[in-house]
Amino acid sequence: MVNFCEFDKYAAKSYCAIHSTDETLNLGDITKVDETAIPSFNMICGGSPCQDFSSAGNRKGAVWTCRKCGHQYNPLQVHYSKRDQCEKCGSTDIDKTRSSLLVEWLRIIRGTRPTWGIYENVKNIVGKQFRDTFRLFEEELQEYGYNTYWSVLNAKNYGIPQSRERVYLILIRKEEDNGRFRFPEPLDAVVRLKDILEDEVDEKYYLPQEKVKRLIEDMEDRKALLFEPDEAALEKWKANELHMVGQINEPGKFSQTGRVYSSEGCCPALTTCSGGNTQPKIIHVGNINKGHITGRVFSPLGIACAHLASHDQAKIVEKAVGAIRGRYEDDGTIRQKLEVAEPKDMVHTLTSVAKDNIILVRAKSQKGYEECRSSGVANLSFPKTLKNGRVIQNGDISPTLTTTPGVRRLESLIRIRRLTPLECFRLMGFSDEDFWKAKEAGVSDSQLYKQAGNSIVVDVLYYIFFELYVAMPYLFDDIRLSSFFSGIGAFEKALKRLEETVNH
């Protein structure tokens, strides 16, 4: 590596810790970098801030505004020699969006002419609204003498349980390009979010039980608090797709941020939002064999939610005791409701109706489920026809044993927690060692969340680099890398992984 360029001081601190690099190599603010004064390099990488192209941002795109006369223009539509002054009044007092940093990246390339490079941004940059901007960006690279290749790839197809679609653009000097490069095909292997979760986490990551109660109410309203899907749900189920199982926010209030997903699949894309529990949540419900990982029962109706780049990260639902209680409605009628015990380590007071500590098991009945008490037994096999009698006397008596080992003891508990910073690093393809290096350098949890959400998935970059190596191995001879918008160094980690693969 020749140098790196990162404006955020906390990200730079993590970068240096992870890559054992001195902070003196940081170029800092790209707008102040003199491209004629930096050491020579032959590879450039970068992923400029995406907020102005993202559907979660303000979508201002690459539009600049003259503060003097108010004229707006796309800098890519103006020759680079005249971009920094208003074409109407000549003023150089220009309000530039954050995503105009891609213009700064072009400036660096124009002045240094590396052999090849790679650029990453959100999928929306090639959508209908910003397609022309991306086209102009690509055409300018071609004007500089580069061939360009781009594709939208999803991290969930490359060994990472996160649904994160991003645009990847490769630029290669025309005289170096043999035309053989192809983007990697999706992998067959599927990794689920539950495969990367920590076994034990601190209590500080758990949400209040009131959030659990709201989830229970929502799931009960939709008859969704069931340990297994019906036949239609099974047909739709895919381990690498998102499936919502519940909602923890009040109806009509920030519905997107209150969504809860299953941990049986992948995670939605990590974002950089912070505060107010704005991130998605994931669910894990129950055990069939106490103390044994193989006995865990997960809701098969969904996959994990997106990890965010703040302290308010994706949530998973774990354990809590529930009970079905008769509650009076406003009109005087009594409605049976499933409630969660408070606090988490206590059960509801036992009653004569035998409906405490209840688990719902899907069944072919008017209600759509049968009630089984905690530590009771039920037939959890997945027959084509969901018959009655899967739970006998609230689980006190075993259903008929069959050749299918489907009769299990149930221990129902539900809790919701945020993903930990370590889990977020794992969802971006960084190793535990990388995380602890950044953590031990004194970087706070909130900054670690942000850095993960702002990063690029290492595994996707690795498979791109691998295909590029197969097509043109000479591009990787004596790499001298200059990294812009470096974050915590995903490009560098992917290159190191490729080197280990090639030299193995």
Side-chain angles (χ1 to χ4, degrees):
M1 183 190 68
V2 174
N3 48 48
F4 70 102
C5 185
E6 176 53 54
F7 180 77
D8 186 302
K9 65 178 182 180
Y10 301 108
K13 191 172 187 178
S14 290
Y15 181 100
C16 291
I18 291 171
H19 302 282
S20 301
T21 299
D22 193 281
E23 288 199 37
T24 58
L25 292 180
N26 185 9
L27 299 176
D29 185 348
I30 189 174
T31 64
K32 299 177 181 178
V33 173
D34 181 356
E35 67 275 19
T36 65
I38 58 179
S40 174
F41 57 89
N42 55 17
M43 176 189 172
I44 187 171
C45 62
S48 60
C50 63
Q51 291 93 331
D52 291 313
F53 294 122
S54 172
S55 58
N58 56 27
R59 301 192 187 188
K60 292 174 66 176
V63 174
W64 291 2
T65 304
C66 175
R67 292 191 178 96
K68 183 176 180 180
C69 72
H71 174 63
Q72 292 186 326
Y73 63 99
N74 185 333
L76 291 173
Q77 293 177 329
V78 180
H79 193 267
Y80 56 79
S81 63
K82 300 179 181 179
R83 278 180 184 153
D84 291 326
Q85 65 182 48
C86 176
E87 57 187 345
K88 294 292 185 181
C89 69
S91 172
T92 57
D93 187 9
I94 307 297
D95 180 18
K96 303 176 181 180
T97 63
R98 291 164 295 188
S99 292
S100 67
L101 293 177
L102 106 176
V103 176
E104 298 289 348
W105 200 65
L106 287 171
R107 174 177 63 83
I108 299 295
I109 293 175
R110 188 169 62 249
T112 57
R113 305 287 174 159
T115 303
W116 69 285
I118 180 171
Y119 176 82
E120 181 265 6
N121 212 312
V122 293
K123 177 184 177 182
N124 211 39
I125 197 175
V126 295
K128 183 177 180 180
Q129 185 176 1
F130 302 117
R131 188 178 303 154
D132 286 343
T133 294
F134 186 78
R135 176 182 56 80
L136 292 168
F137 172 62
E138 191 177 15
E139 287 177 355
E140 187 160 326
L141 287 170
Q142 293 167 359
E143 181 184 345
Y144 296 166
Y146 293 93
N147 288 334
T148 56
Y149 305 83
W150 67 268
S151 183
V152 176
L153 303 181
N154 195 324
K156 71 178 185 179
N157 296 323
Y158 300 95
I160 291 293
Q162 180 186 173
S163 182
R164 188 183 187 91
E165 290 184 297
R166 293 293 186 268
V167 173
Y168 298 87
L169 180 143
I170 300 291
L171 57 140
I172 307 172
R173 290 178 64 169
K174 293 179 180 180
E175 64 270 23
E176 299 288 342
D177 185 13
N178 63 16
R180 297 177 183 174
F181 171 71
R182 298 294 183 273
F183 280 96
E185 294 294 327
L187 306 179
D188 292 331
V190 174
V191 180
R192 299 180 180 184
L193 180 64
K194 68 176 183 178
D195 297 327
I196 64 95
L197 298 179
E198 294 189 68
D199 292 331
E200 297 181 7
V201 299
D202 194 280
E203 281 294 318
K204 68 181 181 181
Y205 296 107
Y206 286 85
L207 269 64
Q209 285 299 93
E210 62 195 48
K211 297 291 185 181
V212 177
K213 291 179 180 179
R214 176 57 202 151
L215 175 67
I216 295 298
E217 291 171 0
D218 173 72
M219 297 176 82
E220 185 193 29
D221 289 342
R222 297 182 296 107
K223 295 184 177 179
L225 188 60
L226 308 167
F227 277 96
E228 52 193 298
D230 55 22
E231 191 171 356
L234 276 174
E235 292 177 356
K236 293 190 299 181
W237 165 252
K238 291 184 179 179
N240 64 346
E241 291 186 359
L242 293 167
H243 298 269
M244 193 180 90
V245 297
Q247 171 68 245
I248 63 172
N249 290 343
E250 294 292 331
K253 294 183 178 180
F254 310 106
S255 60
Q256 183 174 356
T257 63
R259 293 173 184 170
V260 180
Y261 301 85
S262 167
S263 58
E264 277 291 300
C266 72
C267 175
L270 307 187
T271 72
T272 57
C273 58
S274 61
N277 291 320
T278 52
Q279 68 292 331
K281 288 75 180 170
I282 58 177
I283 185 168
H284 158 217
V285 276
N287 277 282
I288 54 176
N289 296 317
K290 186 175 182 180
H292 295 281
I293 294 177
T294 57
R296 291 178 181 171
V297 179
F298 291 83
S299 168
L301 296 176
I303 61 175
C305 64
H307 165 65
L308 302 185
S310 72
H311 61 282
D312 294 305
Q313 294 313 303
K315 313 300 188 297
I316 61 174
V317 174
E318 293 187 340
K319 308 181 192 177
V321 179
I324 288 184
R325 296 285 187 173
R327 299 299 186 196
Y328 282 99
E329 300 290 308
D330 292 339
D331 60 3
T333 59
I334 297 178
R335 180 189 178 199
Q336 297 292 314
K337 300 185 68 174
L338 182 64
E339 299 178 351
V340 178
E342 180 92 38
K344 67 179 187 301
D345 55 350
M346 299 178 63
V347 301
H348 285 282
T349 302
L350 297 179
T351 69
S352 59
V353 296
K355 286 194 175 183
D356 287 285
N357 313 323
I358 290 295
I359 301 167
L360 304 185
V361 178
R362 187 180 293 280
K364 190 176 182 180
S365 63
Q366 184 175 1
K367 293 189 298 184
Y369 60 86
E370 294 175 345
E371 300 159 4
C372 182
R373 286 190 300 182
S374 177
S375 299
V377 293
N379 188 342
L380 294 185
S381 60
F382 295 169
K384 292 183 178 180
T385 302
L386 298 173
K387 299 180 180 179
N388 290 326
R390 292 157 59 72
V391 180
I392 309 298
Q393 292 185 15
N394 299 110
D396 290 337
I397 296 192
S398 173
T400 302
L401 298 179
T402 66
T403 55
T404 301
V407 178
R408 297 286 187 269
R409 187 178 76 165
L410 303 184
E411 296 179 354
S412 175
L413 300 125
I414 297 177
R415 296 184 72 195
I416 304 175
R417 71 166 174 86
R418 297 175 289 164
L419 291 180
T420 68
L422 174 58
E423 291 165 345
C424 297
F425 266 59
R426 291 173 178 174
L427 282 171
M428 299 307 295
F430 287 86
S431 68
D432 288 11
E433 181 183 4
D434 295 332
F435 169 80
W436 287 112
K437 284 181 178 179
K439 180 72 173 177
E440 290 167 3
V443 180
S444 67
D445 278 5
S446 61
Q447 290 297 327
L448 292 169
Y449 279 130
K450 180 181 178 182
Q451 290 164 17
N454 272 329
S455 187
I456 304 169
V457 177
V458 174
D459 296 66
V460 179
L461 295 173
Y462 164 77
Y463 287 108
I464 293 174
F465 289 158
F466 183 83
E467 293 298 326
L468 193 59
Y469 178 83
V470 170
M472 288 169 270
Y474 51 85
L475 293 179
F476 294 85
D477 293 340
D478 187 29
I479 285 184
R480 299 185 306 281
L481 173 66
S482 189
S483 175
F484 291 82
F485 320 115
S486 306
I488 52 178
F491 294 102
E492 292 85 336
K493 294 299 297 186
L495 281 172
K496 183 177 180 180
R497 190 179 300 180
L498 176 68
E499 181 183 1
E500 293 170 350
T501 300
V502 171
N503 294 331
H504 181 66

